[in-house]
Amino acid sequence: MSEPAAARSEEPEEAGDAVLRTENLRKTFGGLTATDDVTMEVERGTITGMIGPNGAGKSTFFNLVSGFYEPDGGSVVVNGEETTGMDPHEVTEHGLVRTFQTPRKLEGMTVREAMLVGPQRQLGESVIPLFTQPDAVAAEERQNLQRAEELLERFEITHLADQPATDISGGQLKLVELARAMLAEPDLLLLDEPVAGVNPTLANKLKAIIRELHEDGITFLIIEHDMGFIMDLADPIVVLNQGAVLMEGSPDEVKNDDRVVEAYLGGGGGD
Ligand code: ADP
Ligand code: MG
């Protein structure tokens, strides 16, 4: 363009630095379009919210970008590299980690053991390093264990470490899931309804932890139907409706947008 080079170079380099970018991302189930050509970005350093009525396609979007579903069209770029069609563990290696709306059952494990299932691609998972680099395997296991202990302490759940993971409350399980996700050292953490079914005290604790991790440099994309929680925490907020992006804006812009109100009324409210 006609802009002088000097003016261009003054633009902050991080402008438009997307940790996640999707283009025309699409997923259909039979005749249903769950994700309808979603083009969006999550800017690095933000806590981005994702809301929308029940069935809007929020969880499907998470499944697509995290590699749990194969898209029918479009692309996903994580940290500047195309990850479309990659397996979840490969996407994790690119820096994107997610938690589940309904945490997986962790039967037969203590909380500490459940956490250690988290780190991706441990050396010990492949047989060869066991023979060629036994010291490296042991060192990595020790390091993961130490990091797990630090996270348990940081999230104030050390007292739960030796309990069966199936015995803890739903809210505590959300904390364990978050701690476990952190072990994978994400750049972008996707949380699907982190405070659904969580009591207000624990929800506030989760909010404080998310803010702290955000200050440490983690970018968040959070689906949440608790409007008070997400409006307080996130900016910008992306609104999905019937699989498509309805709008994106600040919490105030979203709150005052007639289309958003209509979408929630039309969608039966709730989620
Ligand atoms: P949200 O998380 O916004 O409530 P979902 O992404 O879970 O919405 O669902 C979007 C739509 O896709 C819904 O109509 C849902 O029934 C459908 N859907 C989601 N996952 C599947 C699946 N695995 N098979 C068939 N339909 C699905
Ligand atoms: Mg959902």
Side-chain angles (χ1 to χ4, degrees):
M1 299 214 290
S2 60
E3 208 180 351
R8 270 205 306 276
S9 68
E10 276 165 26
E11 283 176 20
E13 254 180 51
E14 62 271 22
D17 180 9
V19 65
L20 170 68
R21 187 154 51 81
T22 68
E23 209 158 305
N24 296 320
L25 196 62
R26 190 167 188 82
K27 182 71 184 173
T28 56
F29 297 109
L32 176 93
T33 304
T35 306
D36 194 358
D37 289 351
V38 171
T39 297
M40 70 162 290
E41 280 187 4
V42 175
E43 195 187 323
R44 194 180 305 280
T46 61
I47 299 178
T48 299
M50 179 173 271
I51 67 168
N54 199 12
K58 305 180 297 295
S59 293
T60 302
F61 180 81
F62 271 27
N63 282 321
L64 288 170
V65 297
S66 58
F68 284 84
Y69 287 168
E70 182 105 21
D72 293 310
S75 61
V76 182
V77 173
V78 176
N79 272 326
E81 286 191 53
E82 176 147 8
T83 58
T84 321
M86 283 187 184
D87 291 336
H89 80 264
E90 289 176 279
V91 178
T92 294
E93 280 172 27
H94 281 80
L96 184 156
V97 177
R98 59 86 61 91
T99 64
F100 288 84
Q101 184 169 350
T102 311
R104 287 156 293 180
K105 294 271 172 270
L106 305 161
E107 262 147 55
M109 288 184 219
T110 65
V111 165
R112 182 185 284 107
E113 287 162 350
M115 273 194 68
L116 290 168
V117 176
Q120 301 288 326
R121 281 297 202 99
Q122 297 182 63
L123 283 170
E125 278 171 15
S126 155
V127 184
I128 294 157
L130 282 175
F131 296 106
T132 58
Q133 324 163 32
D135 293 345
V137 173
E140 187 174 286
E141 273 170 12
R142 262 199 313 278
Q143 205 183 18
N144 279 335
L145 192 60
Q146 192 191 328
R147 291 195 55 237
E149 297 299 337
E150 283 165 11
L151 284 161
L152 287 165
E153 211 164 293
R154 183 169 187 183
F155 292 9
E156 297 170 2
I157 48 177
T158 304
H159 60 290
L160 302 177
D162 293 315
Q163 290 195 33
T166 44
D167 279 7
I168 63 175
S169 75
Q172 289 167 332
L173 191 55
K174 297 272 190 181
L175 279 175
V176 172
E177 278 269 304
L178 187 58
R180 185 157 78 143
M182 282 302 298
L183 271 181
E185 302 188 309
D187 297 312
L188 172 63
L189 197 43
L190 270 53
L191 308 180
D192 195 346
E193 301 202 7
V195 297
V198 172
N199 73 54
T201 308
L202 207 48
N204 276 328
K205 185 169 164 180
L206 261 165
K207 193 189 281 178
I209 287 173
I210 291 168
R211 285 202 170 116
E212 216 183 284
L213 296 174
H214 175 242
E215 269 163 33
D216 288 353
I218 310 246
T219 303
F220 283 88
L221 176 62
I222 305 176
I223 296 175
E224 186 47 65
H225 76 270
D226 180 329
M227 288 300 157
F229 183 89
I230 199 70
M231 296 280 172
D232 189 30
L233 195 59
D235 190 2
I237 293 173
V238 179
V239 186
L240 281 190
N241 189 38
Q242 299 183 354
V245 177
L246 182 67
M247 72 160 299
E248 179 183 332
S250 68
D252 274 339
E253 285 166 340
V254 167
K255 261 185 257 179
N256 295 311
D257 193 293
D258 291 341
R259 293 167 299 174
V260 176
V261 177
E262 246 171 67
Y264 271 88
L265 294 175
D271 205 340

